[in-house]
Amino acid sequence: MNKSFKEQLNQWEKQHKDLIRKERQTNRRRKLESLSDDEIKDLMGVNRDTYRRGRGGAIRRK
């Protein structure tokens, strides 16, 4: 007779315990991304042009 899915999963886990541990350990470590001040300002849009409406609905650079 076929084993239930849960029993098959438990059996597979017992056979592959070492692989599962290694994967969990490697997934926990994340690399921190370090950005310079210029890159942060660029992402925030500090250096972008700003536009406003002028007389007659014209768009002008400020």
Side-chain angles (χ1 to χ4, degrees):
M1 297 194 106
N2 292 338
K3 294 179 183 179
S4 69
F5 185 71
K6 190 172 184 178
E7 290 172 356
Q8 290 178 14
L9 182 61
N10 287 336
Q11 184 180 6
W12 184 88
E13 282 181 353
K14 287 177 186 176
Q15 293 173 354
H16 297 88
K17 224 172 203 177
D18 295 333
L19 291 175
I20 294 170
R21 284 185 188 161
K22 288 179 184 176
E23 285 182 26
R24 287 182 183 166
Q25 289 175 353
T26 55
N27 289 343
R28 287 182 187 170
R29 298 178 189 150
R30 291 185 182 178
K31 294 181 180 178
L32 297 176
E33 185 177 1
S34 59
L35 298 174
S36 68
D37 290 341
D38 291 335
E39 291 173 332
I40 293 172
K41 287 179 182 178
D42 188 44
L43 288 171
M44 290 170 46
V46 172
N47 298 326
R48 294 184 190 153
D49 293 336
T50 55
Y51 296 94
R52 288 203 174 168
R53 290 208 172 262
R55 281 194 145 185
I59 299 175
R60 295 188 179 187
R61 213 168 132 193
K62 186 175 181 185

